[in-house]
Amino acid sequence: MHFCLFLCISDLLTKPVSVELSCGAGPSHVVLESGLPLLLDCNLGASDTPFNITWIKDGQPLPLEGGEFLQHLANGSLLLLPTSKDGRPPRGVEGGYSCVSGSALGALTSRTVNVLLASRCHADTFLRPSPQTVAVGGAARFGCQIEGVPTPVITWEKDTVAVPEETRFISLLNGVLQILEVTKEDEGAYRCVASNSARREISHAARLTVTTGTALLWSTDQKFAIVSPPQNATVVLGRPAVMECMAQGQPKPLVSWSRQDGKPISTDVVVLATNLVIRDTRRHHAGIYVCRANKPKTREFINAAAELHVPAPPVILQPPETVSLSRGNTARFVCNSTGEPPPVLHWLKDGQPIKSFRRVKTQSPGVLLINQLALEDEGYYQCIADNGLGTACATAKLTVIVREGLPSPPRHLSATPSSTTALLTWEKPEYNADQIIGYSVHCQRAAGSDNEEYQFAMNNDTTEYHVKELLPHTAYSFFVVAYSPMGASRPSLPVTVEMLEDVPSAPPQLSIVSTSPTDIRLMWHPLSSQHSRGSVTRYRIEYSTLDQVDTVFSVEVRGNETQFTLKELQPNQAYRLRIAAGTGVGFGVPSEWAQHQTFAHYVIFAPTELKVRARVNTLNVTWHPSPNHTAASGYKLSCREAEADASDNGEKAAQTHTIRLRKKARYHLLTGLVPDRQYEVRVWAFNKQLDGAAAVWKGRTDKTLDRVSPWLPPMRPPPLPPSSIQAVANSSTSIWLRWEKPRFSTVRIINYTVRCSPARTTNASLVSYYTSSAQELLLGALRPFTRYEIAVQSNGVDVVGPFSGTVEESTLSDRPSTPPEELQLSALDSSSVMASWRPPLEPNGIITSYKILFSSNLSHPEHMWENLSQDGSITSVEVQGLSSGTHYFFKLGASTEVGPGPFSPVKDVYTPLQNYELDIHAVTGIIVGVCLGLICILLCMCFSFRNGKPREASRGLDSTAATPQYRRGGCTASSNVPECSDGHELETLMPRGIPESGPLPEDAPEEQSLMASANPGKGEDAQAPDPKVKNLQRGRGWGGRGGTSPAGPWISCCCFFARVDGGIIVVIWYVHCLTGCLEWFCES
C-alpha cells in the first residue's frame, strides 16, 4: 500500500508532458511513457469565456470523477498518469482524446490526439538477422526490424561488443547493418539490440563466415549486379527514411542517385556510402529515386528505382470566415484542406455533426450552405479534416440579425396534388402584410437527407402558385416566405403532400434465356422510383410466334416477381416477347419486341466464372457449374497451345489434350506446361447424349525465374494483417466488410486481398478472392442465408502479408429460389389425395410454411385455385373433400419469413369413382348354401315322385289305429321313452311362432297309418317302439311338428334359409336338411 502511494505521489511530483488540444495544427500521436504524466490542455481560443469543458475519449464522454489513471484539474485540463493505483501500467488509457468547450454562444470541439502507452518491443514482430557467408573483399548485409511504442532504436553488436566505429560498418536508421570490403577479422556473431523507453530486446546472433579461395571471387569479365536495390517505402512526415543501394562487381561499381522526375535531390538528403538517408522527411522528399551502378571505364550500367511515399496529416489552407447575416438570407462557408492521403472534410455546429436536411446542405469540396437563415442557426461552425494520420480544424461564427417591422409568416398554406403538379394556396401574413413586395415558394422532396431545394419567386399580387414537373408517387414538402424591403419573414408552416400515381414511364429491362426446348425464362429488374411513378402491382408479358404475329398471348404476373417461365412452347420456334409494368392507374409503355428462338433439342449451358491462375509450369483452373448442370453427367477440360495455330507445323497445331472429370469437379490443376507460352483452356459439361457449350480462357504461363543470386539481401518483412475487421450482413447476397490499417507498419500497403468462403468448407472452388484499395468492401454475389468465413491480407510492393484471423457472418434470408422437390401425389380414395414432397434445394432461409394450390381446371387463374397451408416442418398432407372421378392439378410453393418462393411444376392426379365393396366370405357362403338348397329340393322332389304310388295305396288304412301319444312330433309321451333329441335341436332353431300343440294338419291320417302299422299296441299298455320305429320317428321329427309330409325337409330347409345371414351356418344347416331327407327316403 505504501509502495503504491509512493508511486502515485511520485507521478504527481514529476513535471508532466504538456500537450495543447486546440483547433489548429498539432501532433496526432502522443506516447505516455513510464514516470512521465501527460497533461492535456483544452485551448480552443474562443472569445467567450468557456463555462463547461467536457472530455471525450473514443467518442464517449469521460466521467467527471476521473479514474485510476486520469484526473480532472480545476482549470479544465486532463492529467493522465503513467501508473495506476496498484503500481501497474494503466489499463484502458490508450485511445483518442478530444475536448468540447461550451459558452453562451455555442460549443467548440478540439482536434483528436491519440494517446499510446509506452510498451515493450514486440518480440513476435522481431525480424532477426540471418547468417551470411561472404568472400574476402565482398560486402555483407544484416537486417533487423522490430515494432514497439515508441519506435525502438536499433544498434549492432559483434561478439556481444558494439561494432567498430569504422567507415566500413554502416548502421542505417532502418535497422540494416552493411559491412563493406569484408576482411577475415570481420568473422563473428552479429546481433541487433532494439531499445525504447519501455524495454530492451536482443536478437539471436547471426554468424558471418568469411571465405578465402584460390580463385578470385570476381573475374574481370564477370557481370556486376545491384545486390541490395532500393525498396518502395512509406514514411510518415517527420520520420527518417533510408534508400539502400549496394552494388557488387569487379572492378568496384560507381553508384549514383537521381530523381525520375528530373528534379534535383534536396540538399538535406545525406549520402551514406551508397545509400540515401533522409533524417526528417518532408512532403518535397516524396518521389521516385533511381540508383545507377556504373561499371568503371565502360558504358555498362544497371538501374534500380523505388518510390518514397510521404503521407502527411491534414492542413487547413482556407478556413471558413465569420459572418453576420439577416434572417432569411443564405450563409455560405468554404473550407479547403490538404494532406496525403487527401483528407475527408465534415462540419460541426456547436460540437455536433451537421446532417444535411431541407435548409442545410454540404457540397464538395468543403462548402456548407444554409438557406433561409433563422435564429436557431446562430453558433460556432467548425470544419474538420481527417485522413487517418491526424486531424485539422478551423472555426467560424455565424450571427443572425433580426430587424424590426418584418412581416409575419404566411398563413394557412395548402397543396392540391396531381400526378406531376401541385397547386399551392396561402393567406397573407397577419402582421405588416401591406409592406410585402413578393413571395418565395420553396419545394423539396420529403424523403432523403441530401435533396435539392427549388425556389420560385413571385409578386405580391398573388397568393397561389402552380408547381410543375414533379415526380409522380413522390412526397414533397412546401413552405412560403414573405419579403419586405426590411427583409424576409419566417417561413410558413411546411406542408407535405404525396403526388398521385401515374403509369410507369419506362418498361423493365428484359433478359431472355431458354432452359429447355419448350421453355423460355424471362428475367427483369424492378423499375426505379423515377420510372415506376407509383407502386408496381403487376407485369404483363406478351408473346407470339414470328409466323403468327397477329395471335398474341399475354400473361400477367404479380408486381413482386422478377422472373417468369413460359412453358409448353414449340421447339425450334422463333418467338417475339415484350413486357410492360403496371400501377394502380394502368400499364405503361411496353418494351420493344425481343426475339428469341427455342432450342431444337436440349442444350447444356457453359460453366460460369471460369478462372485460371497461371504459374511457370502450371495452370490452376476453377469454374462454377452451368445453370442447368443437373442434366450433366460430368465435365471435360481441354488444353492446347494457342500459339500453335500460327505455327507452320500442322502436327503441333492438332495436339489438344482432353480430360474427363467428375460431375462434382470444380477445379483442376494442369501441370507440365512450358513457361511463357500462350495456352487455350476450354471447360464444358456433357452427358450421354450431347456435349454442352464451352467456357474458354486464353492466357500465358509465367516466365522462368532467374536463379537467385547469393548476394541478394533477405526479403523485406511482410506487412502485418489489418485489424478491427468487421463484417455486417447488407442483404441476402452481400456483406459489408470494413477494417483498419495495421498499426506502425513500415511497409507501404498498396491494396488488400479479401478471402471469402462458406464456413468450414473443404472445397477450394468455393473460395473467392477480392482486391480492394480502400479499407472497406461490399462482398456481393453471395448465397442467401449462408455463413461465410472472411479474412483480409495486406499487400505491399512485391510482398504480401499473412491473412488475418477469420471473422464469420451470415447473409440475410431471402425467398426460396427453387420450389419444393419431388412432389408426389397418390389418390387414397375417391375423395382424398396424399401429397408428399421434399424441401427446396435452395431454401434461402428457414421454411416457415408450404402453400398447396389445387384445382380441377388448369386454365383458372391462380387466385381461383383452392389453397391449403402447412407448417414448414411438415412435408406431407392428406387433401380431403375432393370430388370422385375428377382430374385434379396440384402445385406447391414454400415460404420463408421474407416471402414466398416459386411454385413447383404442375402435377395431376385422378380421384377414382366411388364403388361399394361386398363381404367376400358372406357372398361365398350364400352361393354355396343356395346351391346345396337347390340340390336338396331336387332330391326331395325326385323321392316324392318315386314313392307317390305306395303312399296312395296306404291311404285306406284306419287312421284311428295310431295311438294318441304319437301325435306330437312323432315321439311318445311316455316317460319311459326318452325324448327325441334331434327334434329338440331343430325346435330351438325354428321360429318361436310355430305352436307346440294344436290340430293336426290334413295329412295326419297318413302319418297315423304308418305309425299304427309299425306299432300295433294300443293305449297305455302299449310297448315301447323298437329301434326301427325310433328311427322313423327321428326322420319325422325333421319333417316338422305338424306331420310327415314328403315336402317336410324341403319346407324346413327353406324356412331356415330365409332366417340365417352367415354363410357358414347356412352350409351346416343345409347339410342337416339333406341328412333328414335321406333318412326319410330310406324309411319310406
Side-chain angles (χ1 to χ4, degrees):
M1 179 68 183
H2 296 288
F3 177 71
C4 295
L5 181 61
F6 171 75
L7 286 175
C8 296
I9 294 176
S10 64
D11 288 342
L12 293 176
L13 294 178
T14 305
K15 184 179 180 180
V17 177
S18 180
V19 176
E20 183 180 83
L21 270 69
S22 63
C23 198
S28 59
H29 295 80
V30 178
V31 178
L32 181 61
E33 300 189 11
S34 177
L36 293 176
L38 180 63
L39 182 65
L40 302 180
D41 291 324
C42 187
N43 183 14
L44 294 174
S47 59
D48 300 289
T49 303
F51 61 84
N52 182 22
I53 293 179
T54 303
W55 285 93
I56 308 295
K57 178 180 178 290
D58 296 333
Q60 299 296 326
L62 287 173
L64 296 178
E65 60 272 12
E68 63 177 0
F69 60 84
L70 59 87
Q71 294 180 4
H72 290 273
L73 303 184
N75 63 351
S77 299
L78 185 67
L79 181 64
L80 302 180
L81 303 178
T83 55
S84 59
K85 296 178 181 179
D86 57 0
R88 297 181 179 180
R91 291 173 297 180
V93 69
E94 291 186 315
Y97 289 81
S98 62
C99 65
V100 177
S101 174
S103 66
L105 290 178
L108 291 172
T109 185
S110 70
R111 59 182 173 83
T112 300
V113 61
N114 291 313
V115 176
L116 305 175
L117 186 64
S119 62
R120 52 177 286 185
C121 302
H122 301 293
D124 55 345
T125 63
F126 213 148
L127 181 62
R128 297 173 175 84
S130 56
Q132 300 283 322
T133 300
V134 181
V136 173
R141 180 185 182 276
F142 292 101
C144 181
Q145 187 177 7
I146 191 171
E147 292 186 359
V149 178
T151 303
V153 176
I154 297 178
T155 59
W156 288 89
E157 295 179 352
K158 172 181 177 288
D159 297 331
T160 69
V161 179
V163 296
E165 294 184 359
E166 300 179 15
T167 57
R168 295 189 304 109
F169 291 84
I170 302 173
S171 181
L172 300 178
L173 297 176
N174 61 350
V176 172
L177 174 64
Q178 296 177 352
I179 307 175
L180 307 178
E181 300 177 0
V182 174
T183 63
K184 191 65 176 179
E185 288 74 16
D186 295 331
E187 272 191 340
Y190 290 81
R191 66 181 185 180
C192 65
V193 180
S195 58
N196 62 6
S197 59
R199 189 163 176 175
R200 184 170 181 262
E201 289 283 346
I202 301 176
S203 71
H204 296 299
R207 185 76 182 174
L208 173 61
T209 303
V210 181
T211 62
T212 58
T214 56
L216 291 176
L217 179 65
W218 308 106
S219 61
T220 56
D221 58 349
Q222 183 176 1
K223 292 184 179 181
F224 64 97
I226 297 178
V227 295
S228 179
Q231 302 291 326
N232 293 336
T234 298
V235 180
V236 180
L237 189 73
R239 298 279 185 90
V242 175
M243 286 283 185
E244 286 188 79
C245 187
M246 286 183 64
Q248 291 278 12
Q250 196 60 252
K252 183 179 179 180
L254 300 177
V255 176
S256 61
W257 286 90
S258 63
R259 289 178 60 106
Q260 193 179 59
D261 54 9
K263 295 180 181 180
I265 296 179
S266 179
T267 56
D268 56 355
V269 177
V270 178
V271 178
L272 188 57
T274 58
N275 309 287
L276 286 186
V277 178
I278 307 174
R279 300 188 180 278
D280 186 9
T281 307
R282 294 299 166 185
R283 289 294 306 276
H284 64 272
H285 292 139
I288 299 177
Y289 290 82
V290 180
C291 169
R292 176 168 175 166
N294 288 80
K295 190 173 182 180
K297 299 180 181 180
T298 66
R299 294 184 179 181
E300 186 177 353
F301 65 90
I302 300 175
N303 285 343
E307 181 181 5
L308 176 62
H309 182 65
V310 183
V315 176
I316 301 295
L317 299 179
Q318 180 184 1
E321 297 180 356
T322 298
V323 292
S324 297
L325 298 172
S326 300
R327 186 178 66 186
N329 287 344
T330 298
R332 185 174 186 267
F333 295 106
V334 179
C335 179
N336 291 328
S337 64
T338 184
E340 178 59 34
V344 177
L345 292 175
H346 60 277
W347 292 87
L348 302 179
K349 179 183 182 293
D350 294 336
Q352 299 298 322
I354 294 178
K355 295 182 179 180
S356 296
F357 64 104
R358 295 170 183 165
R359 298 187 300 108
V360 179
K361 300 292 181 184
T362 56
Q363 299 178 350
S364 179
V367 177
L368 175 66
L369 291 178
I370 307 175
N371 296 317
Q372 294 298 319
L373 285 175
L375 285 176
E376 58 267 22
D377 295 326
E378 278 191 338
Y380 289 106
Y381 289 83
Q382 289 182 286
C383 165
I384 307 295
D386 187 359
N387 69 347
L389 295 176
T391 59
C393 63
T395 305
K397 183 180 177 181
L398 173 63
T399 304
V400 179
I401 303 173
V402 179
R403 295 184 173 87
E404 298 292 336
L406 294 176
S408 59
R411 301 175 296 165
H412 304 148
L413 175 64
S414 64
T416 303
S418 66
S419 60
T420 58
T421 63
L423 178 62
L424 303 182
T425 59
W426 62 91
E427 295 182 5
K428 292 185 176 182
E430 185 176 0
Y431 303 105
N432 300 323
D434 54 343
Q435 300 181 11
I436 295 176
I437 59 175
Y439 296 96
S440 65
V441 173
H442 300 258
C443 170
Q444 186 181 35
R445 294 179 63 175
S449 59
D450 193 18
N451 297 320
E452 186 176 358
E453 181 181 275
Y454 299 93
Q455 300 182 18
F456 309 95
M458 63 213 66
N459 296 328
N460 60 352
D461 57 352
T462 181
T463 56
E464 67 177 25
Y465 186 77
H466 203 193
V467 183
K468 302 179 181 179
E469 297 182 358
L470 302 178
L471 297 177
H473 195 59
T474 304
Y476 285 90
S477 180
F478 304 93
F479 67 89
V480 181
V481 177
Y483 290 87
S484 71
M486 299 294 294
S489 70
R490 289 185 289 110
S492 67
L493 293 177
V495 60
T496 302
V497 294
E498 184 173 354
M499 300 295 104
L500 302 181
E501 286 189 345
D502 204 342
V503 296
S505 61
Q509 296 293 328
L510 191 62
S511 299
I512 306 173
V513 296
S514 288
T515 56
S516 73
T518 59
D519 292 351
I520 294 180
R521 176 179 294 177
L522 296 93
M523 296 170 288
W524 60 90
H525 290 287
L527 293 175
S528 63
S529 58
Q530 179 181 359
H531 292 141
S532 62
R533 306 209 293 184
S535 178
V536 176
T537 58
R538 51 192 171 160
Y539 293 97
R540 182 170 63 195
I541 300 172
E542 297 178 327
Y543 64 98
S544 68
T545 58
L546 288 182
D547 52 2
Q548 295 180 353
V549 294
D550 295 334
T551 304
V552 178
F553 302 92
S554 65
V555 178
E556 289 190 11
V557 298
R558 294 178 298 182
N560 59 351
E561 300 290 343
T562 56
Q563 63 179 3
F564 186 78
T565 302
L566 299 174
K567 299 183 177 181
E568 299 181 0
L569 304 178
Q570 301 176 19
N572 197 22
Q573 177 67 51
Y575 285 87
R576 62 172 191 162
L577 310 97
R578 67 180 182 180
I579 187 173
T583 62
V585 180
F587 284 99
V589 293
S591 62
E592 297 292 333
W593 286 106
Q595 296 185 10
H596 185 81
Q597 185 160 355
T598 54
F599 298 145
H601 55 80
Y602 196 83
V603 173
I604 305 176
F605 296 115
T608 60
E609 298 187 30
L610 177 63
K611 298 179 181 179
V612 179
R613 178 173 291 183
R615 292 292 185 261
V616 178
N617 303 105
T618 62
L619 293 176
N620 188 11
V621 186
T622 62
W623 64 90
H624 286 186
S626 56
N628 56 348
H629 65 94
T630 54
S633 58
Y635 288 93
K636 293 182 181 180
L637 186 149
S638 68
C639 177
R640 67 184 183 90
E641 292 186 19
E643 294 177 347
D645 295 340
S647 175
D648 296 333
N649 190 348
E651 296 180 359
K652 183 177 180 180
Q655 292 180 353
T656 301
H657 304 281
T658 303
I659 305 170
R660 294 170 63 97
L661 302 171
R662 295 180 305 166
K663 181 179 180 180
K664 295 183 178 180
R666 297 294 182 270
Y667 66 94
H668 186 75
L669 182 64
L670 297 171
T671 59
L673 305 179
V674 181
D676 194 23
R677 191 65 57 88
Q678 186 86 2
Y679 284 93
E680 179 186 85
V681 176
R682 291 175 175 265
V683 180
W684 67 94
F686 72 94
N687 57 24
K688 295 181 179 180
Q689 287 76 27
L690 74 159
D691 287 351
V696 183
W697 174 90
K698 286 186 178 182
R700 184 177 295 273
T701 53
D702 291 345
K703 296 181 180 180
T704 305
L705 297 177
D706 296 333
R707 182 181 176 184
V708 179
S709 172
W711 300 105
L712 286 179
M715 294 181 61
R716 290 183 60 84
L720 298 176
S723 59
S724 303
I725 301 175
Q726 296 180 351
V728 180
N730 184 63
S731 67
S732 61
T733 58
S734 61
I735 294 177
W736 263 115
L737 186 67
R738 295 179 175 89
W739 60 88
E740 295 180 2
K741 290 183 179 179
R743 300 175 63 181
F744 310 112
S745 177
T746 60
V747 179
R748 180 191 175 193
I749 299 175
I750 57 175
N751 55 34
Y752 299 89
T753 299
V754 177
R755 184 183 67 202
C756 178
S757 64
R760 288 169 290 280
T761 184
T762 58
N763 191 346
S765 65
L766 299 180
V767 182
S768 300
Y769 294 89
Y770 306 84
T771 302
S772 173
S773 57
Q775 297 178 24
E776 62 179 6
L777 181 65
L778 181 63
L779 303 176
L782 305 180
R783 291 185 296 182
F785 200 66
T786 303
R787 193 162 190 83
Y788 284 89
E789 293 179 347
I790 305 170
V792 187
Q793 176 189 61
S794 302
N795 300 324
V797 180
D798 298 329
V799 61
V800 296
F803 276 99
S804 65
T806 59
V807 295
E808 294 189 3
E809 180 62 18
S810 299
T811 52
L812 303 178
S813 58
D814 202 350
R815 305 164 183 256
S817 55
T818 59
E821 298 285 325
E822 300 181 11
L823 176 61
Q824 301 291 335
L825 303 174
S826 60
L828 299 180
D829 52 34
S830 60
S831 62
S832 62
V833 169
M834 174 62 72
S836 62
W837 61 89
R838 293 180 60 187
L841 286 178
E842 298 177 3
N844 297 340
I846 299 176
I847 300 299
T848 58
S849 63
Y850 290 97
K851 186 176 182 181
I852 304 171
L853 298 181
F854 59 95
S855 174
S856 59
N857 191 338
L858 184 60
S859 62
H860 277 173
E862 190 173 283
H863 67 274
M864 296 182 63
W865 287 43
E866 299 289 337
N867 70 82
L868 181 65
S869 297
Q870 290 294 318
D871 186 78
S873 60
I874 298 175
T875 57
S876 64
V877 65
E878 181 180 349
V879 183
Q880 299 178 342
L882 305 179
S883 301
S884 61
T886 307
H887 190 189
Y888 279 96
F889 303 90
F890 283 74
K891 57 182 177 180
L892 177 68
S895 299
T896 62
E897 61 181 0
V898 178
F903 281 94
S904 64
V906 175
K907 288 199 172 184
D908 58 343
V909 64
Y910 286 87
T911 54
L913 293 173
Q914 189 173 5
N915 53 5
Y916 300 94
E917 297 181 0
L918 300 177
D919 189 352
I920 189 63
H921 299 291
V923 172
T924 304
I926 293 173
I927 294 174
V928 173
V930 171
C931 293
L932 293 177
L934 292 176
I935 294 173
C936 293
I937 293 172
L938 292 177
L939 290 175
C940 292
M941 293 176 64
C942 292
F943 296 155
S944 299
F945 179 79
R946 178 180 177 183
N947 298 329
K949 292 182 180 181
R951 291 181 180 178
E952 291 176 359
S954 62
R955 289 182 180 178
L957 296 177
D958 186 13
S959 59
T960 60
T963 53
Q965 60 184 2
Y966 293 104
R967 293 182 180 180
R968 294 185 62 193
C971 296
T972 178
S974 175
S975 60
N976 297 329
V977 181
E979 186 177 357
C980 179
S981 61
D982 294 334
H984 174 72
E985 181 181 3
L986 183 60
E987 288 174 359
T988 61
L989 296 174
M990 292 298 291
R992 295 182 179 273
I994 301 175
E996 294 185 359
S997 62
L1000 295 171
E1002 295 179 357
D1003 56 354
E1006 182 181 357
E1007 179 185 7
Q1008 293 176 1
S1009 63
L1010 292 172
M1011 294 179 63
S1013 61
N1015 188 1
K1018 298 179 181 180
E1020 297 177 358
D1021 297 331
Q1023 298 179 356
D1026 58 11
K1028 295 182 179 181
V1029 177
K1030 183 176 181 180
N1031 291 335
L1032 182 60
Q1033 292 172 352
R1034 182 178 299 172
R1036 292 169 180 170
W1038 280 97
R1041 294 177 181 241
T1044 58
S1045 171
W1050 174 74
I1051 297 173
S1052 176
C1053 292
C1054 292
C1055 293
F1056 183 76
F1057 172 72
R1059 296 284 180 173
V1060 179
D1061 295 330
I1064 302 299
I1065 301 177
V1066 171
V1067 175
I1068 295 173
W1069 285 107
Y1070 272 120
V1071 173
H1072 280 285
C1073 292
L1074 180 58
T1075 306
C1077 293
L1078 293 176
E1079 290 181 355
W1080 174 78
F1081 174 77
C1082 294
E1083 294 295 333
S1084 299

